[in-house]
Amino acid sequence: MPPHASAATPNAGGGIGPPPSNARIVFPADSPPQLLVFIDAEEEFDWSKFAPDQTSVRNIAEQHRAQRVLERFGCVPTYLVDYPVAAQPEGRGPLRGLLADGRCQIGAQLHPWVTPPFVHPNITLSQTFAGNLAPELERAKLANLTAMIDEGFGVKPFAYRAGRYGFGPNTAGLLRSLGYRLDVSVLAGADFRRGGGPCFRGFGVAPYWLDADRELLEIPLTSDYVGGLSRCGDSLYALADSRLGRAVRIPAVLARTGLLNRVRLSPEGQSCREAMALTLALLARGVRLFSVSYHSSSLLPGGNPYVPTGREVDRLIGWLAEYLEFFLTVVGGRTVTPTEIHRQVQRLDSP
């Protein structure tokens, strides 16, 4: 396989462009489907505000409810912990026990607004995306987060997610310099430019190398289109999701009619039926690696907009059980960890 160019190439808008085709990883057609589970382990906060004093982590004590379901299916999830979780006993305590027993892995998630150093007294919406920060400030925050995880958990985090999917043109280099080997910041097909964030249209769901040395691997969150118009999903959805399109609810109309629906593999905001349909559609397109993700605050009633009451928490836990049963039995897949996948891809991609 030819050497890989860096996929963290700045585009004209100051963000990053889609990976070059020779950076993408293709699994053999006869390889079994594999599933990763990532949990954004973070504080409960008002999602309409970003303030450094919103650091409550009561939700972490509730993770045992979903953890039991995951373990029933042999799944070892990765908790992507942010600074408030790593820095407070109430946050790191419940996860340390899981880590010590080999029942989870610990990664990192950077929320700039609650991670020191605090340079801007009033953080702007654009600055909530870590990739928009000055390189020296992004590095300082990432280094402080990494050190706090090492101190709080006794491990060097292997995997990273930028909060709000805020991967920027300097992020890959910073991750490599701090010893990370996996990034999961890309939400395939999403466009956050309205808030000053990145655009991931055209990225696809296949993993790819972020560096020419093939050390830092990107695994996009599983998100794609289903429906009769899915082949032109990115271009059509861009029109439907415009200001005018949203005003007349075109995305909702397309989804209801079965023509085009953008689905994320998550129990938050997606039905299990939608997740299953996406999985089957991607399998038919040759995809063999999938990732489920959700927020830790979704295990606490009122912890975020997805779970205003305990009923939604119960629904989320039921979703996990139903989807894992489907993936392991109907699909014939297996669950894996980030470190396992990284080793697999390195062997697969060896010259």
Side-chain angles (χ1 to χ4, degrees):
M1 193 168 185
H4 293 287
S6 170
T9 305
N11 63 25
I16 55 169
S21 58
N22 66 343
R24 300 177 192 268
I25 306 299
V26 178
F27 289 90
D30 60 351
S31 61
Q34 301 187 92
L35 181 70
L36 296 151
V37 174
F38 294 105
I39 302 158
D40 291 356
E42 60 190 37
E43 70 283 0
E44 311 99 49
F45 67 98
D46 183 344
W47 285 13
S48 67
K49 301 175 183 177
F50 301 94
D53 61 349
Q54 297 188 87
T55 58
S56 169
V57 291
R58 292 183 299 122
N59 72 87
I60 302 301
E62 303 298 322
Q63 301 310 304
H64 63 92
R65 296 188 61 193
Q67 180 73 28
R68 282 198 298 265
V69 172
L70 297 172
E71 290 179 10
R72 194 165 83 228
F73 292 94
C75 179
V76 178
T78 298
Y79 289 90
L80 302 165
V81 305
D82 71 356
Y83 197 90
V85 173
Q88 300 179 83
E90 190 178 12
R92 62 178 178 260
L95 301 182
R96 281 172 62 103
L98 298 177
L99 178 66
D101 294 339
R103 295 155 63 193
C104 77
Q105 293 192 354
I106 296 295
Q109 182 192 187
L110 178 58
H111 281 186
W113 58 94
V114 288
T115 306
F118 301 108
V119 175
H120 306 287
N122 296 305
I123 192 167
T124 66
L125 185 60
S126 176
Q127 290 165 344
T128 63
F129 299 96
N132 289 340
L133 301 176
E136 60 273 14
L137 182 56
E138 185 181 6
R139 178 182 177 81
K141 287 180 179 288
L142 183 55
N144 283 340
L145 171 62
T146 305
M148 183 54 69
I149 292 173
D150 192 4
E151 177 184 332
F153 292 93
V155 296
K156 299 283 188 183
F158 185 86
Y160 170 78
R161 173 171 296 151
R164 310 200 70 217
Y165 315 105
F167 192 97
N170 302 301
T171 306
L174 296 176
L175 291 175
R176 278 201 55 178
S177 70
L178 290 168
Y180 289 87
R181 291 296 175 261
L182 187 76
D183 181 78
V184 287
S185 301
V186 170
L187 178 57
D191 186 350
F192 299 105
R193 286 177 294 183
R194 288 194 192 98
C199 178
F200 299 123
R201 285 181 176 151
F203 276 60
V205 297
Y208 57 91
W209 292 112
L210 282 161
D211 61 337
D213 296 327
R214 305 183 223 183
E215 293 183 354
L216 182 61
L217 183 67
E218 177 67 48
I219 299 181
L221 282 136
T222 305
S223 175
D224 212 326
Y225 302 95
V226 294
L229 300 177
S230 59
R231 289 189 177 275
C232 51
D234 267 349
S235 56
L236 183 57
Y237 202 83
L239 295 173
D241 198 39
S242 66
R243 190 181 303 274
L244 176 60
R246 285 182 293 117
V248 296
R249 301 181 60 80
I250 291 179
V253 171
L254 289 171
R256 281 199 306 270
T257 57
L259 291 174
L260 186 68
N261 189 15
R262 188 159 75 85
V263 179
R264 181 167 60 99
L265 203 54
S266 172
E268 298 169 333
Q270 316 283 178
S271 71
C272 199
R273 179 175 295 183
E274 288 176 310
M276 293 174 181
L278 173 65
T279 302
L280 294 174
L282 290 177
L283 282 169
R285 298 172 204 166
V287 174
R288 290 296 178 268
L289 182 61
F290 300 80
S291 62
V292 163
S293 66
Y294 61 92
H295 299 84
S296 64
S297 54
S298 287
L299 271 292
L300 179 70
N304 66 45
Y306 291 115
V307 287
T309 70
R311 179 177 297 180
E312 287 77 27
V313 176
D314 292 341
R315 188 201 65 79
L316 182 146
I317 293 170
W319 188 105
L320 289 173
E322 185 178 1
Y323 182 80
L324 285 166
E325 177 76 25
F326 159 80
F327 194 86
L328 271 62
T329 59
V330 176
V331 170
R334 60 188 292 263
T335 62
V336 288
T337 65
T339 49
E340 288 175 317
I341 283 295
H342 194 275
R343 287 196 297 267
Q344 280 186 34
V345 170
Q346 284 193 317
R347 289 196 300 267
L348 180 68
D349 206 33
S350 296

